[in-house]
Amino acid sequence: MGNLAASLKNVGKKEDKRYEEDPDNAWNCCSWCEYLLIVILSTILLVGVLILTLFWVMFYRGGFAWSESPAHQFNLHPILMVAGFITLSGFSILIYRLCRCMKHIYVKLIHMFFHAVAIPCVALGFLSVFDSHNALQKPSFYSLHSWLGFVTMGMFVLQFVIGFFSFLVMLCCENKTYSCRAAMVPVHASLGLANFWLAVATAVTGLIEKERETAKDETLSSENRLIEHYITSAIGITLVLIGIIVTFAVRRSNAPASAKVYVTERI
Amino acid sequence: MGNLAASLKNVGKKEDKRYEEDPDNAWNCCSWCEYLLIVILSTILLVGVLILTLFWVMFYRGGFAWSESPAHQFNLHPILMVAGFITLSGFSILIYRLCRCMKHIYVKLIHMFFHAVAIPCVALGFLSVFDSHNALQKPSFYSLHSWLGFVTMGMFVLQFVIGFFSFLVMLCCENKTYSCRAAMVPVHASLGLANFWLAVATAVTGLIEKERETAKDETLSSENRLIEHYITSAIGITLVLIGIIVTFAVRRSNAPASAKVYVTERI
């Protein structure tokens, strides 16, 4: 009967309940183990893919340069895009869903900060490949990779602008914009996840393009080509594993499935 | 007060409420428009990508054959994989989330049926490329595409077996297995979505590999190579759009965000 009374009280106080802990949503040992496993595994993978890309570019593609060496300028593209679209965006998404130790507004700000840091990475990554292709007189915006990249960048900017206005600027009139913000949550979340997978798909197409180019490069020894093939494949597999773990981490509700949850719990 | 009484009644009758309509979850005109838009757009894209692939294979890759012509046997691979992993799986996922007009057990059975039909497509698609590569003495299981394909097939089988046992076989002791089935729902749903995107990523890597091969093929006219490039790119873009629309369709709750929902509503 205590539960029923609490439930009645909750119905009346729906608005006040928003940022509070749901007493039904108690975590058991298994939930905590899963939580820790996801945090550790995703950190390893997100940092790992960046290190692997850096290793590949530094030791097998000749390192970095800017416009003085267009071939090496290109090398900034994979590393900056992986940093912006995968590592930073991945952490941003995971922090938003997994961080349970601070006020929700701070979590939002960290989520925005990570995405904001990703913007210069992506912009520089785009410039580096554009400049390099221009200098080497290669066609730009021709391959499937470039088209997918365009869609990914467009959706990223759209999501950033929508998220910034809907969930931060609109907070200035908190009560009046409540239903609008609430309606935007599932849209922002689903498009964000789709955008992340789009980035993964774009990255693997880029890797395959580069790998095919390397495979035909007669100036490299066959041993080096084989090692590069394994490195790029490992990066591709890691990217896909990151996609799986992020989808799993953000999709799975931590509430026991028999509990009632407030959809408005986190807006 | 009527609402509160109804809410009280609902708490007591949680089990009975499972398959019933939630009175708070009323759809407005906008929800119906979005619903129709998603149904129409996803049908066009899911059927469109199959037709586009068929068109490409029939008119630009020389049509189909089995072991009598290994080069044409390969052509079965893209069409069967797109049919199994994208069109059938995509419809299966969307039907499960969007079908609101029949009993939930029938929706489950249709969901399983579509995935079951996808299995022979995938198996034949795998066999055709394996046979073709053997006959042409090309290395199998070497490229990133093949590795991603392995992960996709493994996860597909795992999901099918888990889904079949958790949500159909376990129904034989409905009450005893309730909490177990409830716990499996978010796992099955998130891994299913990840698997769908994995299939999209694998398909685009395969397209890029084929496109790079075609671009180097001196036996084709440059005009034909350009048309093929545009067709494969269009298939790639369509695949990614399908990924976005499916993520959007299954992620977005149709309940107004201010309403309480039962997580157990659909198990």
Side-chain angles (χ1 to χ4, degrees), chain B residues 66-104:
Chain B
W66 196 244
S67 49
E68 66 275 14
S69 167
H72 294 121
Q73 187 183 13
F74 173 86
N75 292 344
L76 284 167
H77 176 68
I79 195 80
L80 286 172
M81 287 305 195
V82 165
F85 275 129
I86 306 295
T87 306
L88 288 167
S89 296
F91 273 124
S92 179
I93 294 171
L94 288 173
I95 282 169
Y96 183 79
R97 297 292 282 196
L98 299 179
C99 191
R100 312 203 130 227
C101 54
M102 58 174 87
K103 272 183 89 174
H104 192 54

Side-chain angles (χ1 to χ4, degrees), chain A residues 176-197:
Chain A
K176 280 187 183 168
T177 59
Y178 181 71
S179 64
C180 175
R181 285 182 293 126
M184 288 306 293
V185 170
V187 179
H188 184 73
S190 60
L191 286 185
L193 189 60
N195 202 13
F196 190 74
W197 267 107

Side-chain angles (χ1 to χ4, degrees), chain B residues 14-162:
Chain B
K14 202 185 287 179
E15 293 289 319
D16 304 338
K17 184 96 180 77
R18 253 156 53 215
Y19 301 138
E20 281 174 27
E21 278 298 314
D22 185 351
D24 292 335
N25 188 6
W27 279 22
N28 57 21
C29 178
C30 186
S31 310
W32 278 112
C33 283
E34 189 209 296
Y35 179 83
L36 279 176
L37 196 71
I38 284 178
V39 169
I40 294 166
L41 208 61
S42 55
T43 308
I44 292 172
L45 288 173
L46 285 169
V47 175
V49 75
L50 197 62
I51 292 173
L52 210 55
T53 317
L54 208 58
F55 172 78
W56 170 52
V57 165
M58 296 287 281
F59 292 97
Y60 289 88
R61 301 272 100 220
F64 308 117
W66 196 244
S67 49
E68 66 275 14
S69 167
H72 294 121
Q73 187 183 13
F74 173 86
N75 292 344
L76 284 167
H77 176 68
I79 195 80
L80 286 172
M81 287 305 195
V82 165
F85 275 129
I86 306 295
T87 306
L88 288 167
S89 296
F91 273 124
S92 179
I93 294 171
L94 288 173
I95 282 169
Y96 183 79
R97 297 292 282 196
L98 299 179
C99 191
R100 312 203 130 227
C101 54
M102 58 174 87
K103 272 183 89 174
H104 192 54
I105 182 72
Y106 297 143
V107 181
K108 271 189 191 181
L109 287 172
I110 294 172
H111 179 72
M112 195 205 66
F113 174 75
F114 269 82
H115 277 308
V117 176
I119 292 175
C121 288
V122 169
L124 274 175
F126 174 74
L127 265 183
S128 66
V129 72
F130 191 68
D131 264 19
S132 152
H133 273 197
N134 269 356
L136 295 170
Q137 296 188 315
K138 280 187 182 180
S140 284
F141 317 128
Y142 173 78
S143 68
L144 178 55
H145 171 71
S146 62
W147 297 4
L148 291 183
F150 255 118
V151 181
T152 315
M153 285 196 293
M155 267 182 68
F156 184 86
V157 171
L158 203 72
Q159 279 280 92
F160 191 85
V161 173
I162 288 177

Side-chain angles (χ1 to χ4, degrees), chain A:
Chain A
M1 198 58 204
N3 270 346
L4 296 185
S7 168
L8 250 173
K9 204 175 149 196
N10 289 344
V11 171
K13 287 196 172 181
K14 204 185 282 177
E15 293 290 316
D16 305 337
K17 185 94 180 81
R18 252 155 55 213
Y19 300 137
E20 283 173 27
E21 278 298 314
D22 184 352
D24 292 334
N25 187 4
W27 279 22
N28 57 21
C29 178
C30 185
S31 310
W32 278 111
C33 282
E34 189 209 296
Y35 179 82
L36 279 175
L37 196 71
I38 285 177
V39 170
I40 293 167
L41 208 61
S42 56
T43 308
I44 291 171
L45 288 173
L46 285 169
V47 175
V49 76
L50 197 64
I51 292 172
L52 210 55
T53 315
L54 208 59
F55 172 78
W56 170 53
V57 165
M58 296 286 280
F59 293 97
Y60 289 89
R61 300 270 100 220
F64 307 117
W66 196 245
S67 49
E68 67 275 14
S69 168
H72 294 121
Q73 188 183 13
F74 173 86
N75 292 345
L76 285 167
H77 177 68
I79 194 81
L80 286 171
M81 289 305 196
V82 166
F85 274 129
I86 306 296
T87 306
L88 288 168
S89 296
F91 273 123
S92 179
I93 295 170
L94 288 174
I95 282 169
Y96 184 79
R97 297 292 283 197
L98 299 180
C99 191
R100 312 204 132 228
C101 54
M102 58 174 87
K103 273 182 87 174
H104 191 54
I105 183 73
Y106 298 144
V107 181
K108 270 189 190 180
L109 287 172
I110 294 173
H111 180 72
M112 195 205 66
F113 174 75
F114 269 82
H115 277 307
V117 176
I119 292 175
C121 289
V122 169
L124 275 175
F126 173 73
L127 266 183
S128 65
V129 72
F130 191 67
D131 264 19
S132 151
H133 273 197
N134 269 356
L136 295 170
Q137 295 187 316
K138 281 187 182 179
S140 284
F141 317 128
Y142 174 79
S143 67
L144 178 56
H145 171 72
S146 63
W147 297 3
L148 291 182
F150 255 117
V151 182
T152 314
M153 284 196 292
M155 267 182 69
F156 184 87
V157 171
L158 202 73
Q159 279 280 93
F160 191 86
V161 172
I162 288 177
F164 184 73
F165 279 95
S166 302
F167 307 120
L168 286 171
V169 174
M170 276 195 187
L171 283 181
C172 60
C173 339
E174 199 166 353
N175 289 332
K176 280 187 183 168
T177 59
Y178 181 71
S179 64
C180 175
R181 285 182 293 126
M184 288 306 293
V185 170
V187 179
H188 184 73
S190 60
L191 286 185
L193 189 60
N195 202 13
F196 190 74
W197 267 107
L198 193 49
V200 170
T202 311
V204 286
T205 57
L207 279 170
I208 294 263
E209 279 191 5
K210 201 71 202 164
E211 196 268 339
R212 290 284 112 170
E213 214 174 274
T214 316
K216 305 267 186 258
D217 190 348
E218 298 295 337
T219 59
L220 295 169
S221 72
S222 66
E223 194 193 345
N224 262 9
R225 275 185 278 176
L226 193 66
I227 297 173
E228 266 206 72
H229 167 73
Y230 284 124
I231 294 174
T232 48
S233 298
I235 296 171
I237 294 280
T238 314
L239 286 168
V240 158
L241 289 179
I242 290 170
I244 296 171
I245 205 167
V246 166
T247 313
F248 188 75
V250 302
R251 186 69 178 75
R252 180 150 160 65
S253 165
N254 286 305
S258 56
K260 261 188 300 177
V261 291
Y262 285 95
V263 182
T264 48
E265 195 190 6
R266 289 184 172 264
I267 294 173

